[in-house]
């Protein structure tokens, strides 16, 4: 399945989460903006550390996520749900199908390590596999 895994965060753990998902589909994860733009991806996993205001570079990317770039978008979010909604709505308004199953990870403000605990690896891979199965069943 044509899959992309992208992240926008300064926290090392968000990159580790993205890498863990990417391993499932044997793809590489990339920062936003990616080196190569999305092109008719079946699923794009977006890992975002969210704040009250969306950074301009990220806003441009999210506002461009239409059906020509991604059929489906799944979010894994570090931050408050009320802040995340603006990010999610930007992709919905652009036209991509946003999956309801958003995973909220709580990395915290003072997390400097990249290593994932076994339970964190399990949580992210179980969630991603569930997303991939749901997309596969619709094909």
């Amino acid at each position: 399945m044509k899959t992309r895994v992208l992240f926008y965060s300064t926290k090392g753990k968000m990159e580790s989460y993205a890498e863990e998902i990417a391993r499932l589909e044997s793809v590489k994860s990339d920062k936003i903006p990616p080196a190569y733009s999305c092109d008719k991806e079946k699923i794009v996993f977006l890992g975002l550390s969210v704040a009250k205001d969306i950074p301009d570079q990220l806003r441009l990317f999210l506002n461009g996520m239409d059906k020509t770039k991604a059929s489906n978008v799944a979010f894994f979010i570090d931050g408050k749900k009320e802040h995340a909604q603006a990010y999610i709505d930007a992709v919905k308004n652009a036209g991509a199908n946003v999956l309801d199953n958003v995973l909220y990870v709580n990395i915290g403000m003072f997390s400097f390590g990249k290593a994932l605990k076994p339970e964190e690896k399990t949580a992210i891979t179980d969630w991603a596999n569930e997303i991939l199965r749901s997309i596969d069943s619709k094909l």
Side-chain angles (χ1 to χ4, degrees):
M1 178 181 331
K2 200 164 176 201
T3 304
R4 292 289 297 270
V5 184
L6 305 171
F7 65 95
Y8 189 92
S9 180
T10 58
K11 298 176 182 178
K13 268 197 177 183
M14 283 303 280
E15 183 176 355
S16 295
Y17 279 123
E19 289 170 353
E20 204 59 39
I21 296 169
R23 275 196 256 302
L24 296 174
E25 288 292 294
S26 299
V27 297
K28 291 188 178 207
S29 61
D30 199 358
K31 289 183 178 184
I32 296 172
Y36 301 99
S37 65
C38 297
D39 181 33
K40 298 178 186 168
E41 310 296 336
K42 283 291 179 200
I43 179 73
V44 174
F45 290 94
L46 292 181
L48 308 175
S49 289
V50 300
K52 187 176 180 182
D53 297 316
I54 304 174
D56 289 338
Q57 183 179 40
L58 181 56
R59 181 186 315 281
L60 287 171
F61 176 82
L62 298 176
N63 288 335
M65 288 298 291
D66 61 20
K67 291 279 186 190
T68 65
K69 296 202 174 134
S71 297
N72 301 285
V73 177
F75 285 92
F76 56 106
I77 302 280
D78 171 43
K80 295 180 180 180
K81 288 182 182 182
E82 58 268 19
H83 295 161
Q85 196 58 52
Y87 296 70
I88 293 167
D89 288 345
V91 173
K92 282 182 181 177
N93 293 336
N97 178 47
V98 175
L99 303 177
D100 292 332
N101 188 357
V102 177
L103 178 66
Y104 288 91
V105 297
N106 186 11
I107 295 175
M109 289 179 57
F110 302 108
S111 175
F112 301 108
K114 254 184 105 170
L116 297 177
K117 297 175 187 170
E119 60 270 17
E120 291 171 323
K121 278 186 181 182
T122 300
I124 197 75
T125 56
D126 287 352
W127 172 79
N129 278 322
E130 181 181 327
I131 298 288
L132 292 167
R133 277 192 301 276
S134 75
I135 299 297
D136 252 351
S137 69
K138 293 176 185 175
L139 296 178

